[in-house]
Amino acid sequence: MSEPRQDSPGEQAKEGIDDGGFVENLNTTPTQATYFNEATARLSPAHREYLLQRHGTVDLDPIPDMGGADPYNWKTWMKITNLVLVAIHACMSTFTAASIIPAYATIAADLGVSLQRTTYLTSLQIAILGVAPLFWKPFSNTYGRRPLFLISLACSLVGNIGCAKSPDYASMAACRAIVAFFICPAAAIGSAVVTETFFKKERARYMGIWTLMITLGVPIAPFIFGFVAYHVGYRWIYWILAMINGVQFILYIFFGPETRYIRSGVQHQESPFKQEYLTFKRIDPRPLTLHDFIHPLSLFRKPCILISAIAYAMTFLFGSVLITVELPQLFGQKFGFNSQQLGLQFLGIIIGSVIGEQLGGSLSDYWMNRRAKKSGVHTQPEYRLWLSYAGFVLTIVGVVVFLVRTQQAVQGKWNINPVIGIAIAGVGNQIVTTVLITYAVDCHQEESASIGVFITFVRQVWGFIGPFWFPDMFTSVGVAASAGVAAALIIGVSIFPTMFIQWRGQKLRGLVESDSDMADQAVSAKV
């Protein structure tokens, strides 16, 4: 059982602890090294001893409470198990949206609608996945992540059964909308779960698991369900999705503890087990207001978050959405592939994304920690952005290879070159995804839940619009020449703005440090 520290409001303000237990502007405070020395000095002997026994050090960022209910104090296997469940749940949002892509032609014939109208069943879910988290995020803050995830999976299961039994296009579209509305929370607030569970020094690695699963949901679904649609019919896609939701629900009950933990102003009198698994009541005593529902949209006022979201969304549009949505039509017309053959083409982006995560996740943490050890101070978030440029360039190269080599391919004769381009784009897209999302959270850790919602909103809205103008672009300028459009947009909307926040990001947060301040920090850290 843990007892909250009884700091005065002035002490809490001095320490920079918010109601979610996060240290505000942790990475950018002018006297960071001094802050940590002062924070650890104020720990009670019992609290210090607890942290030493549990973690072997008090040099933790942020500093957790006493007691097993604080997610920072969980055993590593418990943290990772919970993260895997959340990451798979996040994957299911994009996985469900993309699941019917290889079966477009079959669905169109069965429901008596055009192929283009059938693609709207995916576009509809993409749009809802971007907007619905605005509704769910405030409830997750107030009542916790665990109850919300359980409701999400139960209702998604029902919606997928409805899709499997839908007799016409309208009913299937309605059921797809219901599924998208309920399946989306983990894809948006997963960043909060990572922030609530893992210390800063390891955050990019575990944030990368969450972002990788969101990315992989797009290509894995058509890769798997191409075989399903070809051998047993497309309606089995929905039955399998419902079964997956059911298994997830059961696993959450036993292995998905609550990560929402407030460290100030709340008494934690129940046992850790009860707080983690049996609490289905209000966690945050503050009343819900309209502002809570629209707050994530207000993050557009924070340039480091806004620019990261826009730069990522543009890269994701071409490195993932364009390839995934347009590949069936491009390869179907060029090579006459069936649904099974189309599904196999997505193996390229799956492999590329996995490789990209190794560069954007673990390497990103190593990059930042190595810099911190050399300088003796906590590294500014902008240093992480150096890795993003490799991602931008690889995405451009991959898209160019995919589109150019697809147009140059001989009609009816498949070759592997476009798939190699898809893999290269997958590497670049995943590097950008992990680096930019982690950077945004590092800049404003106190907004971690809202950042996930805001970035998801920007990405999904832009991803929803793209498929409406991709066909016109291919018709107007040609498939190969469209690679130039993609390259120009990534350079103009992603690379240049990222260079700007790397140059001015620290100042944009109002936290410019002089050379003397930096020297003082180094001295304080060594002392």
Side-chain angles (χ1 to χ4, degrees):
M1 180 171 66
S2 62
E3 296 292 336
R5 289 177 290 169
Q6 299 300 318
D7 294 340
S8 67
E11 289 174 324
Q12 291 179 3
K14 185 177 181 180
E15 290 186 26
I17 297 177
D18 73 349
D19 62 354
F22 301 133
V23 182
E24 294 186 5
N25 300 328
L26 205 52
N27 316 304
T28 53
T29 306
T31 56
Q32 292 163 349
T34 303
Y35 159 76
F36 287 109
N37 288 334
E38 292 178 352
T40 55
R42 285 197 294 271
L43 293 174
S44 68
H47 194 171
R48 178 184 293 271
E49 181 63 24
Y50 175 85
L51 295 179
L52 286 172
Q53 290 183 1
R54 177 65 189 88
H55 303 284
T57 180
V58 294
D59 185 18
L60 302 169
D61 181 0
I63 297 174
D65 258 355
M66 292 177 63
D70 189 327
Y72 289 121
N73 294 327
W74 292 351
K75 294 185 182 298
T76 302
W77 71 265
M78 187 174 176
K79 294 182 179 183
I80 294 176
T81 300
N82 180 71
L83 174 62
V84 168
L85 290 178
V86 174
I88 294 175
H89 192 169
C91 174
M92 288 303 297
S93 62
T94 52
F95 185 89
T96 301
S99 61
I100 62 173
I101 287 177
Y104 280 161
T106 306
I107 295 173
D110 182 52
L111 301 181
V113 296
S114 67
L115 184 63
Q116 184 63 34
R117 193 179 179 195
T118 304
T119 65
Y120 297 157
L121 291 173
T122 296
S123 300
L124 172 68
Q125 286 204 317
I126 291 175
I128 294 174
L129 290 174
V131 178
L134 294 172
F135 174 81
W136 292 117
K137 183 255 181 181
F139 289 106
S140 75
N141 282 347
T142 301
Y143 297 99
R145 321 301 185 195
R146 177 176 163 85
L148 185 66
F149 291 159
L150 291 174
I151 293 172
S152 165
L153 292 169
C155 295
S156 297
L157 185 155
V158 174
N160 278 314
I161 292 176
C163 289
K165 302 292 288 183
S166 295
D168 53 42
Y169 180 86
S171 58
M172 185 173 293
C175 290
R176 291 272 290 178
I178 291 172
V179 172
F181 180 79
F182 283 103
I183 199 64
C184 69
I189 62 178
S191 58
V193 173
V194 175
T195 306
E196 291 164 347
T197 312
F198 295 97
F199 295 108
K200 180 191 168 187
K201 64 182 179 181
E202 57 189 1
R203 190 169 297 147
R205 180 193 314 166
Y206 294 110
M207 190 77 75
I209 294 175
W210 170 67
T211 60
L212 174 64
M213 293 305 291
I214 294 176
T215 304
L216 285 181
V218 178
I220 286 180
F223 174 73
I224 293 174
F225 288 127
F227 293 92
V228 173
Y230 182 76
H231 289 286
V232 295
Y234 80 90
R235 289 188 183 272
W236 266 99
I237 293 175
Y238 296 125
W239 288 116
I240 293 173
L241 290 173
M243 294 175 193
I244 294 174
N245 293 151
V247 172
Q248 287 179 282
F249 183 87
I250 294 171
L251 291 175
Y252 258 121
I253 290 177
F254 295 103
F255 302 107
E258 180 57 62
T259 62
R260 177 73 165 140
Y261 182 89
I262 300 178
R263 293 175 182 80
S264 60
V266 175
Q267 295 288 334
H268 297 284
Q269 297 179 343
E270 297 91 352
S271 67
F273 180 81
K274 185 174 182 180
Q275 292 183 65
E276 294 162 0
Y277 292 97
L278 302 178
T279 299
F280 296 96
K281 62 181 181 180
R282 181 183 289 270
I283 295 176
D284 191 337
R286 296 178 305 173
L288 279 172
T289 65
L290 177 61
H291 177 265
D292 294 321
F293 291 91
I294 63 175
H295 172 68
L297 297 180
S298 70
L299 295 185
F300 79 90
R301 297 178 298 179
K302 299 189 176 185
C304 294
I305 297 176
L306 176 63
I307 293 175
S308 297
I310 293 175
Y312 161 53
M314 183 59 72
T315 305
F316 188 84
L317 177 71
F318 290 107
S320 181
V321 175
L322 178 141
I323 292 172
T324 306
V325 174
E326 297 303 322
L327 185 149
Q329 297 187 50
L330 291 176
F331 278 31
Q333 295 171 0
K334 195 79 175 183
F335 307 118
F337 282 170
N338 58 39
S339 57
Q340 179 175 269
Q341 293 168 323
L342 287 173
L344 287 170
Q345 310 310 307
F346 290 92
L347 187 60
I349 197 169
I350 295 171
I351 295 173
S353 298
V354 172
I355 295 173
E357 182 47 43
Q358 308 314 306
L359 303 177
S362 298
L363 179 61
S364 180
D365 277 337
Y366 172 78
W367 177 260
M368 296 293 284
N369 294 334
R370 181 173 177 270
R371 171 76 170 186
K373 289 179 180 178
K374 279 191 172 183
S375 63
V377 297
H378 289 271
T379 308
Q380 294 294 332
E382 283 70 30
Y383 189 69
R384 192 185 299 275
L385 294 177
W386 285 110
L387 297 176
S388 68
Y389 301 115
F392 293 133
V393 172
L394 287 171
T395 303
I396 291 173
V397 171
V399 172
V400 169
V401 172
F402 166 61
L403 293 177
V404 172
R405 296 302 292 165
T406 296
Q407 179 165 312
Q408 292 176 347
V410 178
Q411 186 73 28
K413 292 185 178 181
W414 176 86
N415 67 80
I416 199 172
N417 291 335
V419 180
I420 293 175
I422 291 173
I424 295 173
V427 174
N429 175 66
Q430 189 56 37
I431 292 174
V432 171
T433 299
T434 300
V435 170
L436 290 187
I437 292 179
T438 305
Y439 167 74
V441 172
D442 281 350
C443 288
H444 298 279
Q445 184 176 320
E446 75 283 0
E447 298 281 12
S448 59
S450 295
I451 287 171
V453 174
F454 179 74
I455 289 179
T456 299
F457 175 80
V458 175
R459 181 192 68 213
Q460 296 301 124
V461 169
W462 192 226
F464 168 74
I465 296 172
F468 287 95
W469 58 269
F470 289 154
D472 291 336
M473 176 179 68
F474 292 154
T475 302
S476 300
V477 302
V479 174
S482 296
V485 177
L489 286 173
I490 292 175
I491 292 171
V493 181
S494 297
I495 296 180
F496 286 158
T498 300
M499 294 171 65
F500 174 74
I501 56 174
Q502 185 169 21
W503 172 47
R504 304 293 286 177
Q506 191 176 340
K507 192 162 192 172
L508 290 171
R509 297 194 305 275
L511 301 164
V512 178
E513 301 178 17
S514 64
D515 291 339
S516 60
D517 288 334
M518 295 293 288
D520 290 340
Q521 291 177 36
V523 172
S524 299
K526 292 176 181 178
V527 171

